[in-house]
Amino acid sequence: GACCSYRLRDALHPLWQSPLTIPGGTRQSPINIQWRDSVYDPFLKPLKISYDPTTCLHIWNNGYSFLVEFDDSTDRSTIVGGPLENQYRLKQFHFHWGAINEWGSEHTVDSKFYPAELHLVHWNAVAYPTFEEAVMEGNGLAVIGVFLKLGTHHEGLQTLVDALPAVKHKDTIIEFDVFDPSCLIPSCPDYWTYAGSLTTPPLTESVTWIIKKKPIEVDENQLEAFRMLLFTSDGEEEKRMVDNFRPLQPLMNRTVRSSFQ
Ligand SMILES: O=C1NC(=O)[C@@H](c2ccccc2)S1
Ligand SMILES: [Zn+2]
């Protein structure tokens, strides 16, 4: 539900103004996933991903990450199955990354950070009329998290990387009209799932997280391309867009389920 009111400035995280703790928050994200504490759930279904590459609209730098946004006016790009009761529509995907390869992901696995993490954000268009309303509801959103690890060059990611110089500054946008985000999702079906929240304001507890067990591999140049983006607008003193991840949050009374044994 909606967080109670609180004096935001007392809890702001210096880095990018996102509160460190939400008073009354019981299902905040991100969390550390302790592999041995996750519970295999045989009733979890395979996740069914159906994206139409022509629903891709543009890439924009919102001053916190770069978002690739999709036309979510119809059910052309959706996910269904997994832990989900309904079909969810793809709205956008974006990444979180570090200044160096030692950290950058939002979630950790057995306290290990990855250099970056992809989030594909979907909303429950069956139950709610708009994304903005879904953001406020416990079953409103479903986010697929994919870890990025340093390794071989990723062909599919490169088309995205080639476009980044055009969105170097905050509030810049370019058209990006065909891209299939499923090329960024590992073919291995294994995932963890838990009830969590947005990791940026409004931090609402509306996200069913689906975290893929297998990372994708990207090379150093591709990670460096993320790090040349800026938090700042053209003309302002340049601040490199790095370390745009929220600190880990307490698990509290939650169980992480796995789709695999
Ligand atoms: O997975 C997440 N990553 C973010 O930056 C958060 C967010 C906040 C608002 C809209 C979409 C995503 S929630
Ligand atoms: Zn995110």
Side-chain angles (χ1 to χ4, degrees), residues 33 37-41 43-44 82-84 191-195 208-209 211 255-260:
I33 296 168
D37 294 344
S38 61
V39 178
Y40 169 59
D41 180 348
F43 297 104
L44 282 173
L84 305 172
Y191 62 84
W192 289 285
T193 183
Y194 78 97
T208 298
W209 281 95
I211 309 285
T255 301
V256 177
R257 290 181 289 159
S258 64
S259 70
F260 58 94

Side-chain angles (χ1 to χ4, degrees), residues 206-224:
S206 54
V207 180
T208 298
W209 281 95
I210 299 166
I211 309 285
K212 298 290 284 185
K213 181 185 83 175
K214 281 279 197 318
I216 57 170
E217 287 194 28
V218 302
D219 68 24
E220 181 62 36
N221 293 330
Q222 294 178 311
L223 285 171
E224 277 304 320

Side-chain angles (χ1 to χ4, degrees), residues 64 94-96 106 117-119 121 143 199-200 209:
Y64 171 71
H94 62 272
F95 299 80
H96 304 264
E106 295 217 296
E117 184 173 331
L118 160 64
H119 288 158
V121 181
V143 181
T199 61
T200 62
W209 281 95

Side-chain angles (χ1 to χ4, degrees), residues 44-93:
L44 282 173
K45 302 185 190 70
L47 192 60
K48 186 163 174 12
I49 298 170
S50 325
Y51 295 151
D52 172 349
T54 65
T55 56
C56 192
L57 293 172
H58 52 250
I59 309 177
W60 73 291
N61 176 334
N62 70 349
Y64 171 71
S65 183
F66 66 93
L67 312 186
V68 181
E69 296 210 293
F70 290 77
D71 169 6
D72 60 349
S73 59
T74 73
D75 283 331
R76 282 182 296 160
S77 288
T78 59
I79 58 171
V80 70
L84 305 172
E85 296 300 314
N86 292 137
Q87 177 180 268
Y88 287 64
R89 256 182 222 170
L90 176 66
K91 170 128 184 99
Q92 52 105 321
F93 69 81

